[in-house]
Amino acid sequence: MTRTVLKVQDLHLRFPLGRSMADVAMGRPGRVVNALNGVSLDLIRGETLGVVGESGCGKSTLARCIVRLYKPSDGEIRFNGHEIFATDQRGDRSYNRRVQMMFQDPYSSLNPRMTTGQILAEALRVHEMRPETEIPTRVDELLELVRLPRDARNKLPHEFSGGQRQRIAIARALAVEPEVLIADELVSALDVSVQAQVVNLLLELQQELELTILFVAHDLRLVRHVSNRVAVIYLGRIVEIGDSETLFSHPAHPYSQALLSAAPSLNPDDRGKVTKLEGELPSTLNMPSGCPFHVRCRHASEICKQKVPALLPFEGRGEVACHHVEKINAHA
Amino acid sequence: MEHQTPILEVDGLNTTFYRSGQALPALRDVSFSVARGEVLGLVGESGSGKSVTLRSIIGLARRYGEVTGQVRWQGRDLVPMPDRDLRQIQGREIAMIFQEPMTSLNPLLTVGLQLEETLRAHTDLSKAARRDRAIEMLDLVGIPSAAQRLKDYPHQFSGGMRQRVMIAIALAANPKLLLADEPTTALDVTIQAQILDLILRLAQDMDMGVLLVTHDLGVVAQTCDHVAVMYAGRIVEQGPVRDVLRVPRHPYTVGLMRSVPENLPPRTPLYSVPGVPPSLDVLPKGCAFAPRCAACIAPCEQDRPPLSLITDGRQVACFNPISKAQGNAA
């Protein structure tokens, strides 16, 4: 079996917005949101790959492409060597079973009219995981797996706290015995202490069940803590990817440097140590030419405006997409 | 940092809401003060009473519940003050910004009109002067080409820019105190850094006090002078930021700090305070934190520990506070 479970290659996703009246009058084509602009990454069996970036950078879009909620405009995603969009999605549910997604909002991702037992049983039935007679036992096992009391099976989602609901979401994903979990801001809506409990559970289950996790989140401290490797996304492109500890302690791309330094530290003596990032994320409707970061980058030169930098290995520290990576890191 | 005499003194503030006849004590015995130019952080988890504190100060809570105690503002008590008089203070002397810049701006009015509205209500400026002041404010909060953007609607601004507009509106009338309720929670870290920086700079330039509500201890560490930690409607620890974050003395503060994944070996279990915060209708008899507390001793279950001074400027509500050495280790 290969080490790479999921291979994403040169993924592009464009959402056409349709032509406005003004566009028609001026004879312009409709506008297009460039959500993903050539994302490539390998998800390695058993690892946790963290994905970070500002809102609108495409991190959730990437997650949604991987579970086939969006169909990419270009590029491919291979799961154990098989292109996932090649097969008929309705006919082939086995991919859906093996790659499960968990969502951010525990209030809108569980059916409010179904009990926990029904929610879990439904997943088991859809994917024919167990004969009907064994379903109740399996539901109990799943509740135990995520440390929920047994009487939880007869309760409705509104009777649970946010943290408990995310446990139900984890149980539902695990019901179908997946290989890969996609966690899209799984704990972002929770208070720190509850967050800690859910993250601990996820890490334990990963060990126990040998799961591979794509962990999408905007909380940098948390991503650093749970991930083996991290990808930093900017405007639909990976600008840096590599070992989590190395990347967080010595980010090489100027955008990673600015993003990571903006996370407020618990040490009051770190005040004023933030690398200021001027301006905001440009609109994906109107992509800058060349390197997507050049408009906010203090190292930008002429070449950055013209040529998109490729994601290349840098000094054994992972891969970085920057024309001036050597120069920038030599100064530092 | 040395501060002048307080401009706001909250003394024994209690707020109670009622649900089907049952009393829910949302705030109990909350006391603190804010000086000009000072940034005080209120930190705690959801439901701890941070936002209710702000709303009780500004008079928004009393419409839905019962507020008692004293909120002394420039020699007057805001708690019993009639709505008519309170409105002269709201927005003019004390301004507030909220978490959601999209829901607190009117989507049907241009931002220029919304700024103008505030200025008309709270200042004596002429129409032309109000327009100049509106441009000046947008400029001050870092919105490029301010004069042109006055006629734009909220949806034409990004999240960070909308929060800047909110700040511009709040500060238009030169308030002496800003109440900020999770002003950066909905924003990205890069934009959060810009907005916090802006609030700090304006507080300094305008010599304005700031009461900043947040759930993020990192934000507290990077922006506040003093901090008050809240749990189940009470302040459990308060003092200068450096002291509290370096050597937390209340077991809850220690737990809260330990659950932040910083300076930990990667992929090791995170600490989390066992149990969940109590529901307001079934608060324990003694200390509200006692059932979850590792340092709990006999008196904790019987009596409520008062918030008392332990060292210079440092208050803790605990019968068995973590010793200095232990607090350091955490």
Side-chain angles (χ1 to χ4, degrees):
Chain A
M1 205 179 278
T2 49
R3 283 183 70 229
T4 301
V5 189
L6 202 73
K7 194 173 185 63
V8 175
Q9 234 164 357
D10 199 24
L11 208 64
H12 288 260
L13 181 57
R14 291 178 286 269
F15 293 108
L17 282 187
R19 293 171 83 190
S20 65
M21 288 299 279
D23 291 331
V24 175
M26 307 284 287
R28 283 186 308 228
R31 296 189 298 171
V32 170
V33 174
N34 298 284
L36 295 178
N37 301 294
V39 170
S40 302
L41 58 84
D42 286 0
L43 195 57
I44 295 162
R45 191 171 297 281
E47 78 168 346
T48 302
L49 176 65
V51 179
V52 296
E54 292 170 275
S55 8
C57 73
K59 41 188 205 303
S60 290
T61 308
L62 171 67
R64 282 161 189 244
C65 281
I66 291 176
V67 293
R68 301 200 291 203
L69 284 174
Y70 294 146
K71 192 170 177 2
S73 324
D74 264 312
E76 53 177 37
I77 301 176
R78 289 183 172 275
F79 180 68
N80 290 331
H82 301 285
E83 163 58 46
I84 64 170
F85 290 97
T87 51
D88 172 28
Q89 296 187 36
R90 289 190 182 281
D92 173 29
R93 286 220 191 91
S94 78
Y95 176 77
N96 297 4
R97 180 183 74 70
R98 293 158 80 184
V99 180
Q100 280 283 311
M101 178 143 171
M102 300 174 296
F103 297 88
Q104 171 173 6
D105 184 0
Y107 296 87
S108 61
S109 53
L110 298 173
N111 187 335
R113 291 171 179 270
M114 284 167 80
T115 64
T116 310
Q118 287 168 335
I119 288 169
L120 297 179
E122 183 184 49
L124 293 168
R125 278 191 200 107
V126 167
H127 287 284
E128 295 163 11
M129 300 304 296
R130 291 286 190 281
E132 196 58 34
T133 50
E134 289 173 27
I135 285 181
T137 338
R138 181 63 183 153
V139 167
D140 286 345
E141 281 170 19
L142 287 166
L143 290 173
E144 199 175 315
L145 195 64
V146 296
R147 306 348 172 223
L148 280 174
R150 210 168 256 211
D151 63 359
R153 62 180 306 156
N154 298 320
K155 289 187 182 166
L156 291 164
H158 79 262
E159 297 177 78
F160 295 96
S161 66
Q164 288 172 320
R165 284 182 216 213
Q166 288 308 53
R167 285 168 195 267
I168 299 172
I170 295 174
R172 180 174 62 182
L174 294 178
V176 299
E177 294 160 36
E179 290 167 44
V180 178
L181 286 181
I182 312 290
D184 186 9
E185 302 276 11
L186 181 69
V187 295
S188 309
L190 308 175
D191 274 318
V192 275
S193 64
V194 185
Q195 216 173 52
Q197 293 164 8
V198 176
V199 165
N200 289 346
L201 175 70
L202 195 67
L203 289 177
E204 271 175 55
L205 291 171
Q206 178 175 30
Q207 287 274 312
E208 204 176 314
L209 306 170
E210 295 169 3
L211 296 164
T212 307
I213 300 178
L214 186 79
F215 193 86
V216 179
H218 71 277
D219 183 334
L220 300 164
R221 274 191 294 248
L222 199 63
V223 171
R224 176 181 193 161
H225 186 75
V226 303
S227 306
N228 303 102
R229 288 193 308 140
V230 171
V232 182
I233 299 200
Y234 187 76
L235 282 187
R237 272 202 188 92
I238 294 182
V239 296
E240 181 164 2
I241 183 168
D243 171 71
S244 167
E245 277 309 296
T246 318
L247 197 152
F248 273 95
S249 47
H250 302 286
H253 194 285
Y255 176 66
S256 319
Q257 291 171 351
L259 180 71
L260 302 191
S261 87
S265 137
L266 282 189
N267 185 350
D269 293 334
D270 286 346
R271 278 191 201 184
K273 286 194 189 160
V274 172
T275 312
K276 281 276 182 44
L277 197 53
E278 295 301 326
E280 301 184 22
L281 209 60
S283 162
T284 40
L285 276 170
N286 203 349
M287 290 284 290
S289 62
C291 171
F293 186 57
H294 84 255
V295 283
R296 295 166 85 185
C297 182
R298 58 201 173 94
H299 306 282
S301 66
E302 207 43 49
I303 185 173
C304 307
K305 292 177 193 161
Q306 288 160 11
K307 200 168 159 241
V308 180
L311 191 63
L312 297 170
F314 174 64
E315 289 180 0
R317 279 160 65 173
E319 292 164 79
V320 184
C322 175
H323 292 300
H324 301 305
V325 64
E326 270 106 16
K327 197 177 83 195
I328 292 165
N329 289 284
H331 287 304
Chain B
M1 217 186 296
E2 268 309 303
H3 288 293
Q4 315 148 336
T5 45
I7 40 165
L8 175 79
E9 282 175 284
V10 175
D11 196 1
L13 192 64
N14 293 309
T15 298
T16 313
F17 297 114
Y18 294 90
R19 188 176 56 197
S20 28
Q22 195 183 19
L24 301 172
L27 284 190
R28 278 298 173 264
D29 208 17
V30 169
S31 304
F32 58 82
S33 61
V34 185
R36 298 207 89 166
E38 179 192 343
V39 183
L40 172 68
L42 280 182
V43 68
E45 297 181 90
S46 323
S48 60
K50 319 180 286 287
S51 297
V52 176
T53 305
L54 293 195
R55 285 168 168 74
S56 300
I57 291 171
I58 193 87
L60 294 175
R62 65 188 196 188
R63 294 191 219 163
Y64 310 99
E66 188 181 85
V67 180
T68 62
Q70 285 195 324
V71 176
R72 283 192 295 276
W73 174 255
Q74 316 233 325
R76 302 161 78 188
D77 185 359
L78 301 186
V79 173
M81 190 179 278
D83 284 344
R84 239 184 111 82
D85 298 345
L86 196 59
R87 270 200 295 276
Q88 296 302 308
I89 293 172
Q90 291 170 337
R92 181 173 304 192
E93 296 177 20
I94 305 179
M96 182 154 175
I97 48 177
F98 299 87
Q99 176 174 346
E100 292 280 342
M102 200 60 223
T103 51
S104 32
L105 287 171
N106 187 332
L108 298 178
L109 302 180
T110 63
V111 303
L113 207 94
Q114 298 186 56
L115 260 163
E116 151 90 24
E117 214 172 27
T118 308
L119 290 168
R120 205 170 45 216
H122 299 305
T123 66
D124 306 320
L125 298 174
S126 68
K127 192 164 192 274
R130 287 200 297 262
R131 191 186 139 79
D132 290 345
R133 175 82 178 142
I135 295 171
E136 184 193 330
M137 286 312 296
L138 287 188
D139 202 41
L140 191 69
V141 297
I143 291 179
S145 34
Q148 281 89 60
R149 300 228 64 180
L150 281 180
K151 53 182 189 309
D152 282 349
Y153 291 89
H155 78 267
Q156 291 169 292
F157 292 82
S158 67
M161 284 295 163
R162 262 179 233 142
Q163 198 56 290
R164 285 172 199 261
V165 171
M166 280 301 301
I167 295 172
I169 293 175
L171 302 187
N174 258 326
K176 300 187 183 78
L177 177 71
L178 177 68
L179 307 178
D181 191 0
E182 305 259 14
T184 57
T185 304
L187 307 174
D188 281 309
V189 281
T190 49
I191 311 301
Q192 166 169 283
Q194 294 173 2
I195 297 287
L196 291 176
D197 217 47
L198 173 71
I199 293 177
L200 285 189
R201 185 166 53 81
L202 295 175
Q204 217 156 47
D205 293 354
M206 301 166 70
D207 202 20
M208 173 179 73
V210 179
L211 193 50
L212 178 73
V213 161
T214 178
H215 66 278
D216 188 334
L217 286 166
V219 168
V220 170
Q222 298 308 312
T223 49
C224 300
D225 302 309
H226 285 81
V227 60
V229 182
M230 296 193 73
Y231 184 79
R234 285 171 187 270
I235 293 177
V236 294
E237 176 158 13
Q238 69 177 324
V241 159
R242 261 161 222 280
D243 301 353
V244 173
L245 294 190
R246 264 204 208 119
V247 194
R249 301 294 298 274
H250 195 284
Y252 177 66
T253 315
V254 174
L256 204 57
M257 289 197 65
R258 279 184 63 194
S259 50
V260 179
E262 190 165 279
N263 304 323
L264 275 180
R267 299 173 58 76
T268 49
L270 294 171
Y271 177 79
S272 111
V273 182
V276 289
S279 165
L280 291 178
D281 50 355
V282 284
L283 283 180
K285 178 166 170 252
C287 170
F289 188 60
R292 305 174 70 190
C293 184
C296 176
I297 50 175
C300 304
E301 285 167 4
Q302 294 309 313
D303 302 305
R304 227 167 246 138
L307 188 66
S308 44
L309 210 59
I310 50 163
T311 49
D312 192 28
R314 184 73 174 279
Q315 294 175 300
V316 176
C318 183
F319 289 127
N320 188 18
I322 307 289
S323 75
K324 260 194 158 151
Q326 282 171 298
N328 256 327

